Amino acid sequence: MAATLSVHLTYFNDSNTPQKAWHKHIKTGRTNRNSRIVNKQKVMKFGPFNRTQLNTVKALVEPEPSTCSLTRALCNIVDSGCMENALYLFEKMIQLDTYIRNTYIWNVMIRGCTNNGLFREAVDFYCRMGFEGVQGDNFTYPFVIKSCTGLLSLMEGQKVHAKLFKIGLDLDVYVSNSLIVMYAKMGYIEFAERVFREMPVRDLVSWNSMISGYVASGDGCSSLMCFYEMQALGMKPDRFSMISALGACSLEYRLHCGKEIHCQVLKCGFELDVMVQTSIIDMYGKCDMMDYAERLFDRISPRNVVAWNAMIGGYAQSSHFLESLAFLRKMQDGDKLNPDIITMINVLPSCAQLQALLEGKSVHGYAIRKGFLPHPVLETALVDMYGECGKLDMAERAYGRMTKKNLISWNAMLAAYVQNGWNNKALVLFQDIWHQPFKPDAFTFASILPAYSESATLREGKQIHGFIMKSELGTNTFILNSIVYMYAKCGDIGAAREVFDRMLHRDVISWNTIIMAYAIHGFGRFSVQLFSEMKEKGFKPNESTFVSLLSSCSISGMVEEGWEYYNSMKRDYGIDPGIEHYGCMLDLIGRTGNLELAKIFIDEISLFPTARIWGSLLTASRNNQNIELAELSARHILSLEHDNTGCYVLLSNMYAEAGRWEDVERLKCLMIKEGLEKTKGCSVVEINSRTCRFINNDRSHAETNMIYDVLDIIMRKIGEDIFVHSFTKFRPLDLRKNRANSPQKHSVRLAISFGLISTTIGSPILVRKNTRICEDCHIVAKKISEITRREIIVGDSKVFHHFRDGHCSCRDYW
DNA sequence: CTAGGGTTAG
């Protein structure tokens, strides 16, 4: 007795994992006696170890097996889930001639493995069965197919499917139904359809399998069509059909259909079924009808975690984030239920949207304590939550720890970078695509394109455009809109227009985007023209349309048109101006130099003035040399956003221009106290597909001497003009010498100079910089465009300046 | 003697 026991126990230890041992055993059919003592935990993986049961098993087979009761015993052991005991008995049994060809006991073993999630083992058993010359029957295959489904292995599944034709089981209803489910769950819905189509007889389960199969493949419409077609053929749907059809309604947000099925549920008397109830709640939640869902939920009794999850998820999806968190609390306090992994996944988006970092962290902590991690979906939700809460380091850590990264988690990390303005990190992560087994999707591009708009060079922009055109998303309106904007921001307004013109389907956003594209390039006439075209084509302008349009009027100095559009917005389109519209109008007023009007305008705004509003006034004050108003604006801005670096810099420049050095020094100290640093100016120019980056006083470039020489020659040539012009708006000439950072060596000039010597005569030069261009560089750029007869395009952090023949598209106001 | 379909998820 002791000897056999040890044989049994040590068996699992002849390799590192129980699974491995199990495979080996099934393949060889032999046990290995040369092993160490069993690790109990590993055995436990195969189900609860039951010593009493094992003794009973031994009593059955040793010394004299009592033949007739063996099969029944095997069945009982398998049902108890103790597969290693079942295996022991099974091995003894097939040593007897009576049992080796008994299909039934093989089926029992395969069933046991399948039901216990040992899919690989089930399939191995099936293979061994064939090897032993025992043929599978109509009972064998549903289990084997289910195991193939669990393995998500199309190859194994198709091998089994092929065998079915050979032995003539391909038309068996049970087997075919299993095949439908298998193909659908693996994502090969057309294979499932084919199996279904070729069935000579279909029963209720066949239809249900198709209805749920379509839902699994994300095609709610086909699922519902199937649901109705089945009824047209006189088949009465049962609770399984209802549950799947409700899932289809959720998928397609078909409230009407959902209500209809809800009625059917009541008529058929399924309304007390918890699963049906949960499906209905989910449907109402997805259709944004949480009041219906809650009314139903209140009547469920007893309520389980799944129902609670559906409520929590429903509230999160319909943007009722506080309710979602409240339900989590109620679930624990009221029903004394423990949240599971799905609860966590449902509640994290609510924490994210509420920026409730504390709640998000406690969910994270709970997940750790409960041992829910690692779990790819949960980890992705955590990355998303930390990203939304602005805790990029936490998001990065959560992402870095993931063992099973996939497209969605990768997208979440990208989005986190982009949302927090870490565009360069996003671009670096995006390059990872070449090492990943998955392909980017619409979400990827939607996330990454704004990062390209902000931080990429035109060349990189063209690359991503090409990449997208080669994917199946080349005609996606949403993504093409982002590409239009990206080209505009990368400096190529022509390319932006070309993409826009070639779009198959334009929506309002497409028009808004192209109007804005012309706006930031200072081509207000084109914006206005496109606005009329848009109206002619029957598109209804929305709030954003007017933001684009008013921005364009202000940037291009089209004051009258601006007021006209502003007035028509409310009058003709019933759109109340929002804070952005007020901001654009302030820019416009500021441009006219009427600061009094600007102040009055702010007072009359019906909304609370944001930092952006005061920022407009600050810019206007600066351009009109009104230090008092600038100080007032700055105070307002800093009370709202104490870390607004740009505000400090602008005011400091104004003090410098006025020679108030002690104030400059004071601001400098304030900035240091706040822990702020002036953004380092940096200009980028692309030459022969190489990106060259310059900072102020840069001497790192290989051709530095040449760059400075050329700059010197140009400056000398235009020096007299500069002297004449440089009284400019508000700068005493001698001040330039006092400035620590002389404009003589500003990064833009270095970039332009390098552009001039590295490109063919006559071709335009494109420079992009991260801060606003300064007055001096603006004048110099105009002169360079004149004397070199080149078009120079400089994109600063707000607009693109097109310098040509000594003039700039911004008409010297920016 | 054994079989097939179902609820919540980034």
Side-chain angles (χ1 to χ4, degrees), chain A residues 21-40:
Chain A
W22 181 255
H23 286 154
K24 191 169 177 181
H25 176 79
I26 285 174
K27 278 172 190 146
T28 60
R30 236 175 284 122
T31 56
N32 183 343
R33 285 158 196 259
N34 306 323
S35 353
R36 286 170 294 126
I37 299 161
V38 68
N39 174 340
K40 198 161 184 185

Side-chain angles (χ1 to χ4, degrees), chain A residues 152-440:
Chain A
L152 288 174
S153 161
L154 180 67
M155 240 242 284
E156 292 289 357
Q158 288 193 316
K159 271 197 264 179
V160 172
H161 193 170
K163 180 83 176 168
L164 293 172
F165 289 103
K166 270 192 208 157
I167 58 176
L169 274 174
D170 55 311
L171 299 177
D172 181 275
V173 187
Y174 280 83
V175 173
S176 299
N177 291 345
S178 308
L179 284 172
I180 291 173
V181 174
M182 176 186 81
Y183 284 129
K185 285 202 178 154
M186 287 178 181
Y188 299 92
I189 190 70
E190 54 289 350
F191 290 169
E193 278 170 337
R194 184 165 170 188
V195 172
F196 183 75
R197 215 169 37 234
E198 289 174 359
M199 286 172 79
V201 191
R202 299 176 193 106
D203 65 3
L204 184 56
V205 179
S206 321
W207 285 95
N208 287 347
S209 303
M210 280 314 289
I211 297 170
S212 73
Y214 279 123
V215 174
S217 68
D219 182 357
C221 288
S222 301
S223 172
L224 287 170
M225 266 157 62
C226 212
F227 179 69
Y228 289 119
E229 192 186 336
M230 162 182 132
Q231 291 170 74
L233 293 170
M235 193 86 65
K236 208 173 139 39
D238 64 358
R239 27 193 293 280
F240 290 95
S241 332
M242 304 283 185
I243 290 166
S244 300
L246 284 163
C249 297
S250 304
L251 210 58
E252 304 290 332
Y253 310 107
R254 298 272 283 268
L255 179 62
H256 190 74
C257 251
K259 281 185 174 172
E260 230 171 75
I261 297 168
H262 188 178
C263 288
Q264 262 183 300
V265 164
L266 297 175
K267 243 186 274 173
C268 302
F270 298 141
E271 79 269 24
L272 291 177
D273 184 303
V274 199
M275 282 189 188
V276 175
Q277 286 170 323
T278 309
S279 300
I280 297 173
I281 287 175
D282 176 60
M283 182 273 294
Y284 282 131
K286 296 263 161 60
C287 296
D288 239 335
M289 302 293 284
M290 281 312 287
D291 43 339
Y292 281 34
E294 193 164 342
R295 222 174 302 159
L296 232 113
F297 179 75
D298 288 337
R299 290 213 303 266
I300 303 183
S301 150
R303 292 181 288 229
N304 60 16
V305 191
V306 182
W308 279 99
N309 287 349
M311 284 303 288
I312 293 170
Y315 272 126
Q317 293 222 327
S318 52
S319 312
H320 294 97
F321 308 117
L322 286 171
E323 286 86 345
S324 159
L325 289 178
F327 265 68
L328 171 66
R329 173 68 11 112
K330 279 196 238 172
M331 158 184 182
Q332 290 169 285
D333 295 349
D335 277 12
K336 306 285 176 220
L337 285 169
N338 286 327
D340 66 1
I341 294 187
I342 294 173
T343 320
M344 310 281 95
I345 293 166
N346 277 335
V347 87
L348 278 170
S350 297
C351 300
Q353 293 305 315
L354 294 168
Q355 314 240 308
L357 183 61
L358 202 66
E359 283 75 4
K361 275 185 173 174
S362 60
V363 167
H364 191 174
Y366 180 86
I368 293 170
R369 288 197 297 283
K370 282 279 190 174
F372 289 161
L373 295 170
H375 183 285
V377 180
L378 181 55
E379 285 166 308
T380 304
L382 285 168
V383 170
D384 179 64
M385 184 272 294
Y386 284 125
E388 292 279 355
C389 290
K391 290 286 166 198
L392 212 60
D393 48 335
M394 303 284 279
E396 270 180 329
R397 217 175 305 161
Y399 179 74
R401 259 202 277 265
M402 285 184 74
T403 46
K404 283 183 182 161
K405 297 192 180 84
N406 58 27
L407 176 63
I408 303 172
S409 53
W410 186 65
N411 281 347
M413 194 62 231
L414 277 180
Y417 280 136
V418 176
Q419 273 170 19
N420 288 283
W422 293 64
N423 295 310
N424 288 322
K425 281 209 171 198
L427 295 179
V428 170
L429 179 62
F430 182 67
Q431 296 301 320
D432 241 23
I433 189 62
W434 308 114
H435 311 117
Q436 298 294 349
F438 40 79
K439 282 191 309 185

Side-chain angles (χ1 to χ4, degrees), chain A residues 60 84 188 242 287 302 337 357 362 381 447-448 624 634 695 724 795:
Chain A
L60 281 166
E84 73 273 25
Y188 299 92
M242 304 283 185
C287 296
L337 285 169
L357 183 61
S362 60
S447 294
I448 201 67
N624 295 286
I695 57 170
V724 173

Side-chain angles (χ1 to χ4, degrees), chain A residues 611-728:
Chain A
R612 188 251 182 267
I613 294 293
W614 294 114
S616 263
L617 192 61
L618 179 61
T619 308
S621 313
R622 196 225 155 138
N623 282 301
N624 295 286
Q625 300 138 274
N626 186 329
I627 289 201
E628 290 74 40
L629 202 55
E631 283 173 331
L632 176 90
S633 314
R635 262 199 301 281
H636 276 109
I637 295 171
L638 294 176
S639 75
L640 296 162
E641 295 177 355
H642 60 95
D643 59 344
N644 192 320
T645 314
C647 176
Y648 282 106
V649 174
L650 226 148
L651 196 60
S652 163
N653 284 345
M654 280 182 82
Y655 285 138
E657 281 150 10
R660 289 168 58 174
W661 299 106
E662 64 287 357
D663 286 315
V664 172
E665 206 51 41
R666 187 171 53 85
L667 280 185
K668 205 176 187 179
C669 293
L670 267 173
M671 276 184 80
I672 292 168
K673 222 174 92 190
E674 287 279 345
L676 300 174
E677 251 178 78
K678 198 169 159 177
T679 316
K680 279 227 171 71
C682 165
S683 298
V684 177
V685 62
E686 256 176 278
I687 309 293
N688 300 329
S689 69
R690 260 183 54 227
T691 306
C692 302
R693 205 169 289 272
F694 294 89
I695 57 170
N696 295 341
N697 305 305
D698 205 324
R699 296 202 74 90
S700 65
H701 197 276
E703 290 174 70
T704 294
N705 290 337
M706 178 87 102
I707 292 167
Y708 278 88
D709 285 348
V710 168
L711 204 53
D712 209 43
I713 294 166
I714 291 172
M715 288 310 292
R716 250 181 289 154
K717 192 160 161 55
I718 65 182
E720 287 141 45
D721 295 310
I722 284 286
F723 186 77
V724 173
H725 281 95
S726 63
F727 61 92
T728 68

